[in-house]
Amino acid sequence: MTVSGCFTALVSGLLFGLGLAVSHMVDPAKVLGFLDIAGNWDPSLAFVMGGALLVTVVAFPQVLGRGKPLQAASFVAPVKSAVDRRLVAGAATFGIGWGLVGLCPGPAIASLAFLRLESVVFLVAMVGGVALSKAFPGQPGGEVHRADA
Amino acid sequence: MENFTPLSALIGGIMIGISASVLLLATGRVAGISGIVGGLVPPVRSDALWRLLFLGGLVVGVLAWRAIRPGDVVLTFDASFPVIALGGLLVGLGTRIGGGCTSGHGICGIGRRSLRSLVATVTFMVAAGATVFAVRHVVGT
């Protein structure tokens, strides 16, 4: 990763974090309010996803169509294209964890800005889960440079 | 519908979308946070810095908003510490086995027109919704 690439990563992270804060997605209660369809339903998360998708659905194909990024040799994107049991099992497992607490990886890290012990506990356990996932073969990690997978 | 904040949600979402698009355009990387974290477990010398800077940026971005609008965002945790730990474990495990999270699959993957990501997103949304239903309306905590 080049110096300019690292700088972009920082700026991108700042904007992402700002977006999480502005939208309140960093607050577990806000997320659970969306997931609690049988309760006092708060559709806000749908608007967050919708706003993000408005941009990425248009921008990503444009960017990928360039063939190569500005400050790197190639795109690094997941190579698997099949919908398999591992995908579904992994997504379901993630969903359960997310539903139990209302935190997913991005908001969990961003929430460190509030210096809550809950965030630290969650993140330590999350890293533990990442380490544990290595026991299951066939993990993504060796990414490939196919932009269309 | 309580606490519905459509405008700030939309604006925040657009910021997130722009962030991911900028990262992809400049560095060729997908802003999938579970993957960015995954690449730090364990860290690889030449590859760690951009990840740390991005993740650090997430925190500073929130700090910046707290400075701009103090008291706007408040965190409320419902779950007990053991449940928080369990949830974290499942999130870490599931995102790596499934290859992504809300940002990786939900925002970036669908942006890339990935069927895998669409399936994953629907799956984790349903699983999360079912979990919240079970916890709040069946078990009644």
Side-chain angles (χ1 to χ4, degrees):
Chain A
M1 180 69 67
T2 62
V3 172
S4 54
C6 284
F7 178 73
T8 306
L10 176 63
V11 171
S12 172
L14 284 169
L15 186 58
F16 201 115
L18 194 61
L20 287 176
V22 167
S23 63
H24 288 220
M25 286 297 108
V26 66
D27 175 15
K30 189 78 170 160
V31 173
L32 294 176
F34 170 77
L35 295 171
D36 189 10
I37 48 180
N40 281 320
W41 188 50
D42 175 3
S44 299
L45 193 156
F47 278 64
V48 182
M49 298 274 317
L53 285 169
L54 269 178
V55 179
T56 63
V57 159
V58 172
F60 269 45
Q62 296 280 320
V63 169
L64 293 168
R66 297 183 79 255
K68 117 179 230 325
L70 294 175
Q71 293 155 356
S74 55
F75 293 106
V76 182
V79 69
K80 286 177 157 197
S81 50
V83 174
D84 56 17
R85 257 199 299 256
R86 188 168 289 129
L87 177 82
V88 175
T93 303
F94 160 50
I96 293 169
W98 188 35
L100 283 174
V101 184
L103 281 180
C104 59
I109 288 169
S111 74
L112 288 172
F114 288 83
L115 295 174
R116 295 284 295 267
L117 182 59
E118 289 92 335
S119 305
V120 176
V121 168
F122 184 91
L123 285 168
V124 169
M126 191 179 97
V127 170
V130 172
L132 184 61
S133 76
K134 313 264 179 174
F136 296 79
Q139 293 330 308
E143 292 116 345
V144 170
H145 308 259
R146 285 193 55 193
D148 56 348
Chain B
M1 290 182 195
E2 280 202 13
N3 309 311
F4 183 31
T5 53
L7 191 59
S8 57
L10 200 60
I11 291 170
I14 288 169
M15 286 178 175
I16 289 169
I18 293 173
S19 153
S21 303
V22 164
L23 190 72
L24 185 70
L25 175 63
T27 71
R29 292 280 183 167
V30 166
I33 283 102
S34 70
I36 294 175
V37 170
L40 287 170
V41 183
V44 173
R45 187 66 89 58
S46 57
D47 187 60
L49 182 60
W50 77 268
R51 296 172 187 273
L52 291 169
L53 288 171
F54 182 91
L55 298 178
L58 289 182
V59 180
V60 176
V62 175
L63 285 173
W65 187 246
R66 292 193 74 194
I68 294 168
R69 286 281 172 89
D72 179 51
V73 187
V74 172
L75 293 203
T76 304
F77 287 90
D78 281 341
S80 64
F81 278 96
V83 172
I84 289 172
L86 176 63
L89 185 74
L90 294 176
V91 166
L93 185 62
T95 52
R96 291 293 72 214
I97 290 177
C101 58
T102 43
S103 54
H105 279 311
I107 291 168
C108 298
I110 293 177
R112 284 170 54 232
R113 311 283 200 275
S114 164
L115 178 65
R116 254 178 83 81
S117 288
L118 184 62
V119 170
T121 302
V122 170
T123 303
F124 64 66
M125 287 285 178
V126 169
T131 301
V132 172
F133 183 80
V135 167
R136 288 190 171 184
H137 303 286
V138 176
V139 175
T141 51

